[in-house]
Short mmCIF file of all heavy atoms in Angstrom, two decimals:
data_model
loop_
_atom_site.label_atom_id
_atom_site.label_comp_id
_atom_site.label_asym_id
_atom_site.label_seq_id
_atom_site.Cartn_x
_atom_site.Cartn_y
_atom_site.Cartn_z
N GLY B 333 -3.83 21.09 -48.11
CA GLY B 333 -4.99 21.45 -47.31
C GLY B 333 -5.71 22.67 -47.88
O GLY B 333 -6.93 22.76 -47.92
N GLY B 334 -4.92 23.62 -48.38
CA GLY B 334 -5.46 24.82 -48.97
C GLY B 334 -6.36 24.51 -50.18
O GLY B 334 -7.40 25.15 -50.36
N MET B 335 -5.88 23.52 -51.00
CA MET B 335 -6.71 23.16 -52.16
C MET B 335 -8.12 22.66 -51.71
O MET B 335 -9.12 23.04 -52.25
CB MET B 335 -6.02 22.01 -52.94
CG MET B 335 -4.89 22.47 -53.76
SD MET B 335 -4.12 21.07 -54.62
CE MET B 335 -5.14 20.88 -56.06
N ILE B 336 -8.12 21.85 -50.62
CA ILE B 336 -9.37 21.33 -50.12
C ILE B 336 -10.20 22.47 -49.52
O ILE B 336 -11.41 22.55 -49.71
CB ILE B 336 -9.15 20.21 -49.07
CG1 ILE B 336 -8.37 19.09 -49.72
CG2 ILE B 336 -10.47 19.75 -48.46
CD1 ILE B 336 -8.02 17.98 -48.79
N TYR B 337 -9.52 23.43 -48.84
CA TYR B 337 -10.21 24.58 -48.26
C TYR B 337 -10.92 25.36 -49.34
O TYR B 337 -12.14 25.67 -49.23
CB TYR B 337 -9.17 25.49 -47.60
CG TYR B 337 -9.75 26.81 -47.15
CD1 TYR B 337 -10.51 26.93 -46.00
CD2 TYR B 337 -9.53 27.97 -47.95
CE1 TYR B 337 -11.06 28.17 -45.65
CE2 TYR B 337 -10.09 29.16 -47.57
CZ TYR B 337 -10.79 29.29 -46.44
OH TYR B 337 -11.32 30.49 -46.08
N TRP B 338 -10.26 25.65 -50.49
CA TRP B 338 -10.89 26.40 -51.55
C TRP B 338 -12.04 25.60 -52.20
O TRP B 338 -13.06 26.18 -52.54
CB TRP B 338 -9.85 26.79 -52.62
CG TRP B 338 -9.07 28.01 -52.17
CD1 TRP B 338 -7.73 28.03 -51.87
CD2 TRP B 338 -9.56 29.31 -51.98
NE1 TRP B 338 -7.36 29.27 -51.49
CE2 TRP B 338 -8.45 30.10 -51.55
CE3 TRP B 338 -10.78 29.94 -52.10
CZ2 TRP B 338 -8.55 31.46 -51.26
CZ3 TRP B 338 -10.91 31.28 -51.82
CH2 TRP B 338 -9.80 32.03 -51.40
N ALA B 339 -11.79 24.31 -52.34
CA ALA B 339 -12.85 23.50 -52.90
C ALA B 339 -14.11 23.51 -52.03
O ALA B 339 -15.25 23.66 -52.55
CB ALA B 339 -12.38 22.04 -53.07
N ASN B 340 -13.89 23.48 -50.69
CA ASN B 340 -15.03 23.58 -49.81
C ASN B 340 -15.65 24.99 -49.87
O ASN B 340 -16.89 25.11 -49.81
CB ASN B 340 -14.57 23.32 -48.34
CG ASN B 340 -14.43 21.86 -48.08
OD1 ASN B 340 -14.98 21.04 -48.77
ND2 ASN B 340 -13.68 21.54 -47.03
N ALA B 341 -14.80 26.02 -49.95
CA ALA B 341 -15.35 27.39 -50.02
C ALA B 341 -16.22 27.58 -51.20
O ALA B 341 -17.13 28.38 -51.20
CB ALA B 341 -14.17 28.39 -49.95
N HIS B 342 -15.92 26.90 -52.32
CA HIS B 342 -16.73 27.03 -53.51
C HIS B 342 -17.76 25.89 -53.60
O HIS B 342 -18.32 25.68 -54.65
CB HIS B 342 -15.85 27.01 -54.72
CG HIS B 342 -15.08 28.24 -54.97
ND1 HIS B 342 -15.43 29.21 -55.89
CD2 HIS B 342 -13.99 28.75 -54.32
CE1 HIS B 342 -14.58 30.17 -55.86
NE2 HIS B 342 -13.66 29.94 -54.93
N SER B 343 -17.97 25.16 -52.49
CA SER B 343 -18.84 23.96 -52.43
C SER B 343 -18.73 23.13 -53.70
O SER B 343 -19.65 22.89 -54.41
CB SER B 343 -20.31 24.27 -52.13
OG SER B 343 -20.54 25.66 -52.16
N ALA B 344 -17.48 22.66 -53.93
CA ALA B 344 -17.21 21.91 -55.10
C ALA B 344 -18.04 20.61 -55.19
O ALA B 344 -18.45 20.21 -56.24
CB ALA B 344 -15.73 21.57 -55.22
N MET B 345 -18.24 20.00 -54.01
CA MET B 345 -19.01 18.71 -54.00
C MET B 345 -20.42 18.93 -54.53
O MET B 345 -20.95 18.15 -55.34
CB MET B 345 -19.09 18.21 -52.56
CG MET B 345 -17.80 17.57 -52.08
SD MET B 345 -17.53 16.00 -52.85
CE MET B 345 -18.72 15.00 -52.00
N VAL B 346 -21.04 20.02 -54.06
CA VAL B 346 -22.45 20.25 -54.40
C VAL B 346 -22.54 20.70 -55.84
O VAL B 346 -23.46 20.31 -56.58
CB VAL B 346 -23.06 21.33 -53.49
CG1 VAL B 346 -24.53 21.53 -53.80
CG2 VAL B 346 -22.88 20.93 -52.02
N ALA B 347 -21.51 21.46 -56.29
CA ALA B 347 -21.52 21.97 -57.65
C ALA B 347 -21.14 20.90 -58.68
O ALA B 347 -21.16 21.15 -59.86
CB ALA B 347 -20.59 23.18 -57.81
N GLY B 348 -20.77 19.73 -58.21
CA GLY B 348 -20.40 18.63 -59.12
C GLY B 348 -19.03 18.69 -59.67
O GLY B 348 -18.75 17.99 -60.63
N ILE B 349 -18.18 19.58 -59.12
CA ILE B 349 -16.82 19.64 -59.66
C ILE B 349 -15.95 18.69 -58.76
O ILE B 349 -15.08 19.06 -58.02
CB ILE B 349 -16.25 21.10 -59.52
CG1 ILE B 349 -17.31 22.02 -60.10
CG2 ILE B 349 -14.95 21.25 -60.32
CD1 ILE B 349 -17.05 23.45 -59.73
N TRP B 350 -16.29 17.39 -58.91
CA TRP B 350 -15.73 16.42 -57.98
C TRP B 350 -14.21 16.35 -58.07
O TRP B 350 -13.53 16.05 -57.13
CB TRP B 350 -16.34 15.02 -58.25
CG TRP B 350 -16.20 14.58 -59.66
CD1 TRP B 350 -17.16 14.79 -60.62
CD2 TRP B 350 -15.11 13.94 -60.28
NE1 TRP B 350 -16.69 14.26 -61.82
CE2 TRP B 350 -15.46 13.75 -61.61
CE3 TRP B 350 -13.89 13.44 -59.83
CZ2 TRP B 350 -14.57 13.15 -62.54
CZ3 TRP B 350 -12.99 12.90 -60.67
CH2 TRP B 350 -13.37 12.70 -62.05
N TRP B 351 -13.67 16.57 -59.27
CA TRP B 351 -12.20 16.41 -59.43
C TRP B 351 -11.42 17.40 -58.58
O TRP B 351 -10.31 17.13 -58.17
CB TRP B 351 -11.80 16.54 -60.95
CG TRP B 351 -12.26 17.81 -61.58
CD1 TRP B 351 -11.54 18.95 -61.63
CD2 TRP B 351 -13.52 18.03 -62.24
NE1 TRP B 351 -12.33 19.90 -62.26
CE2 TRP B 351 -13.49 19.39 -62.66
CE3 TRP B 351 -14.61 17.23 -62.47
CZ2 TRP B 351 -14.57 19.91 -63.36
CZ3 TRP B 351 -15.67 17.81 -63.17
CH2 TRP B 351 -15.65 19.12 -63.61
N TRP B 352 -12.03 18.54 -58.26
CA TRP B 352 -11.36 19.56 -57.47
C TRP B 352 -11.00 19.00 -56.11
O TRP B 352 -9.94 19.25 -55.52
CB TRP B 352 -12.21 20.77 -57.36
CG TRP B 352 -11.53 21.99 -56.80
CD1 TRP B 352 -10.21 22.08 -56.36
CD2 TRP B 352 -12.09 23.27 -56.67
NE1 TRP B 352 -9.93 23.35 -55.94
CE2 TRP B 352 -11.05 24.13 -56.12
CE3 TRP B 352 -13.34 23.85 -56.96
CZ2 TRP B 352 -11.27 25.46 -55.87
CZ3 TRP B 352 -13.49 25.19 -56.69
CH2 TRP B 352 -12.48 25.99 -56.15
N ILE B 353 -11.96 18.23 -55.49
CA ILE B 353 -11.74 17.69 -54.18
C ILE B 353 -11.06 16.30 -54.21
O ILE B 353 -10.28 15.94 -53.34
CB ILE B 353 -13.07 17.68 -53.36
CG1 ILE B 353 -12.75 17.72 -51.87
CG2 ILE B 353 -13.92 16.49 -53.68
CD1 ILE B 353 -13.72 18.60 -51.15
N ALA B 354 -11.36 15.59 -55.31
CA ALA B 354 -10.81 14.23 -55.44
C ALA B 354 -9.26 14.27 -55.63
O ALA B 354 -8.55 13.46 -55.08
CB ALA B 354 -11.49 13.47 -56.58
N VAL B 355 -8.80 15.22 -56.49
CA VAL B 355 -7.35 15.28 -56.79
C VAL B 355 -6.51 15.42 -55.51
O VAL B 355 -5.64 14.58 -55.28
CB VAL B 355 -7.08 16.37 -57.79
CG1 VAL B 355 -5.61 16.67 -57.86
CG2 VAL B 355 -7.60 15.95 -59.14
N PRO B 356 -6.76 16.45 -54.70
CA PRO B 356 -5.90 16.53 -53.45
C PRO B 356 -6.09 15.36 -52.54
O PRO B 356 -5.10 14.92 -51.95
CB PRO B 356 -6.34 17.85 -52.80
CG PRO B 356 -7.65 18.22 -53.42
CD PRO B 356 -7.62 17.62 -54.81
N MET B 357 -7.31 14.84 -52.46
CA MET B 357 -7.51 13.71 -51.55
C MET B 357 -6.72 12.47 -52.00
O MET B 357 -6.01 11.87 -51.19
CB MET B 357 -9.01 13.38 -51.48
CG MET B 357 -9.73 14.15 -50.39
SD MET B 357 -11.50 13.80 -50.39
CE MET B 357 -11.57 12.21 -49.66
N VAL B 358 -6.78 12.15 -53.27
CA VAL B 358 -6.06 10.98 -53.79
C VAL B 358 -4.54 11.16 -53.57
O VAL B 358 -3.87 10.21 -53.07
CB VAL B 358 -6.38 10.76 -55.26
CG1 VAL B 358 -5.40 9.74 -55.87
CG2 VAL B 358 -7.80 10.30 -55.43
N PHE B 359 -4.04 12.33 -53.90
CA PHE B 359 -2.62 12.49 -53.81
C PHE B 359 -2.11 12.58 -52.33
O PHE B 359 -1.02 12.19 -52.04
CB PHE B 359 -2.18 13.71 -54.62
CG PHE B 359 -2.00 13.35 -56.07
CD1 PHE B 359 -3.12 13.43 -56.89
CD2 PHE B 359 -0.82 12.87 -56.56
CE1 PHE B 359 -2.99 13.09 -58.24
CE2 PHE B 359 -0.68 12.48 -57.91
CZ PHE B 359 -1.81 12.61 -58.77
N VAL B 360 -2.97 13.10 -51.47
CA VAL B 360 -2.59 13.09 -50.05
C VAL B 360 -2.47 11.65 -49.58
O VAL B 360 -1.56 11.26 -48.85
CB VAL B 360 -3.62 13.92 -49.23
CG1 VAL B 360 -4.06 13.17 -47.97
CG2 VAL B 360 -2.99 15.22 -48.81
N VAL B 361 -3.43 10.79 -49.99
CA VAL B 361 -3.37 9.38 -49.58
C VAL B 361 -2.11 8.76 -50.14
O VAL B 361 -1.40 8.02 -49.43
CB VAL B 361 -4.66 8.68 -50.06
CG1 VAL B 361 -4.51 7.17 -49.81
CG2 VAL B 361 -5.86 9.18 -49.28
N ILE B 362 -1.76 9.05 -51.40
CA ILE B 362 -0.54 8.46 -52.00
C ILE B 362 0.67 8.92 -51.19
O ILE B 362 1.54 8.12 -50.84
CB ILE B 362 -0.41 8.93 -53.46
CG1 ILE B 362 -1.49 8.26 -54.33
CG2 ILE B 362 0.98 8.55 -53.98
CD1 ILE B 362 -1.44 8.63 -55.78
N LEU B 363 0.75 10.19 -50.88
CA LEU B 363 1.88 10.73 -50.13
C LEU B 363 2.01 10.04 -48.77
O LEU B 363 3.10 9.56 -48.41
CB LEU B 363 1.69 12.22 -49.93
CG LEU B 363 2.63 12.93 -48.97
CD1 LEU B 363 4.06 12.86 -49.45
CD2 LEU B 363 2.24 14.38 -48.78
N PHE B 364 0.88 9.94 -48.05
CA PHE B 364 0.93 9.39 -46.70
C PHE B 364 1.27 7.89 -46.75
O PHE B 364 2.07 7.39 -45.95
CB PHE B 364 -0.40 9.62 -45.91
CG PHE B 364 -0.39 10.99 -45.34
CD1 PHE B 364 -0.91 12.04 -46.01
CD2 PHE B 364 0.13 11.17 -44.07
CE1 PHE B 364 -0.94 13.29 -45.45
CE2 PHE B 364 0.12 12.44 -43.49
CZ PHE B 364 -0.43 13.48 -44.18
N LEU B 365 0.61 7.18 -47.63
CA LEU B 365 0.90 5.72 -47.73
C LEU B 365 2.38 5.53 -48.06
O LEU B 365 3.05 4.65 -47.53
CB LEU B 365 -0.01 5.05 -48.71
CG LEU B 365 -1.43 4.85 -48.20
CD1 LEU B 365 -2.22 4.04 -49.24
CD2 LEU B 365 -1.42 4.11 -46.91
N GLY B 366 2.91 6.34 -49.00
CA GLY B 366 4.30 6.20 -49.37
C GLY B 366 5.22 6.37 -48.19
O GLY B 366 6.07 5.49 -47.91
N LEU B 367 5.01 7.47 -47.48
CA LEU B 367 5.89 7.75 -46.30
C LEU B 367 5.76 6.63 -45.24
O LEU B 367 6.71 6.10 -44.69
CB LEU B 367 5.44 9.07 -45.66
CG LEU B 367 5.94 10.36 -46.33
CD1 LEU B 367 5.32 11.53 -45.67
CD2 LEU B 367 7.45 10.39 -46.35
N PHE B 368 4.50 6.18 -45.04
CA PHE B 368 4.23 5.19 -44.01
C PHE B 368 4.90 3.87 -44.33
O PHE B 368 5.51 3.26 -43.52
CB PHE B 368 2.70 5.04 -43.86
CG PHE B 368 2.32 4.03 -42.81
CD1 PHE B 368 2.59 4.30 -41.48
CD2 PHE B 368 1.67 2.90 -43.16
CE1 PHE B 368 2.23 3.33 -40.53
CE2 PHE B 368 1.31 1.98 -42.22
CZ PHE B 368 1.61 2.20 -40.90
N MET B 369 4.77 3.46 -45.62
CA MET B 369 5.38 2.17 -46.00
C MET B 369 6.88 2.24 -45.89
O MET B 369 7.53 1.27 -45.46
CB MET B 369 4.93 1.82 -47.43
CG MET B 369 3.56 1.34 -47.46
SD MET B 369 3.07 0.85 -49.10
CE MET B 369 1.51 0.12 -48.77
N LEU B 370 7.48 3.36 -46.24
CA LEU B 370 8.93 3.52 -46.09
C LEU B 370 9.29 3.33 -44.63
O LEU B 370 10.20 2.63 -44.27
CB LEU B 370 9.37 4.84 -46.60
CG LEU B 370 9.67 4.98 -48.07
CD1 LEU B 370 10.42 6.22 -48.34
CD2 LEU B 370 10.45 3.78 -48.56
N ALA B 371 8.53 4.07 -43.75
CA ALA B 371 8.84 4.01 -42.33
C ALA B 371 8.72 2.55 -41.81
O ALA B 371 9.59 2.08 -41.14
CB ALA B 371 7.89 4.90 -41.58
N MET B 372 7.64 1.88 -42.23
CA MET B 372 7.45 0.47 -41.75
C MET B 372 8.59 -0.39 -42.22
O MET B 372 9.11 -1.18 -41.44
CB MET B 372 6.12 -0.04 -42.34
CG MET B 372 4.91 0.42 -41.64
SD MET B 372 4.81 -0.08 -39.96
CE MET B 372 4.45 -1.81 -40.18
N SER B 373 8.94 -0.31 -43.49
CA SER B 373 9.98 -1.23 -43.99
C SER B 373 11.33 -0.93 -43.40
O SER B 373 12.10 -1.84 -43.09
CB SER B 373 10.00 -1.19 -45.52
OG SER B 373 10.27 0.15 -45.98
N VAL B 374 11.59 0.36 -43.14
CA VAL B 374 12.89 0.72 -42.54
C VAL B 374 12.90 0.20 -41.10
O VAL B 374 13.87 -0.42 -40.62
CB VAL B 374 13.07 2.23 -42.53
CG1 VAL B 374 14.24 2.62 -41.64
CG2 VAL B 374 13.36 2.69 -43.95
#
Side-chain angles (χ1 to χ4, degrees):
Chain B
M335 283 178 85
I336 300 176
Y337 170 80
W338 281 112
N340 281 341
H342 286 256
S343 7
M345 283 289 285
V346 184
I349 313 165
W350 54 267
W351 55 90
W352 192 357
I353 204 139
V355 166
M357 272 176 75
V358 167
F359 278 87
V360 133
V361 171
I362 291 181
L363 169 64
F364 277 91
L365 284 185
L367 283 174
F368 180 66
M369 283 182 173
L370 276 195
M372 284 296 288
S373 56
V374 168

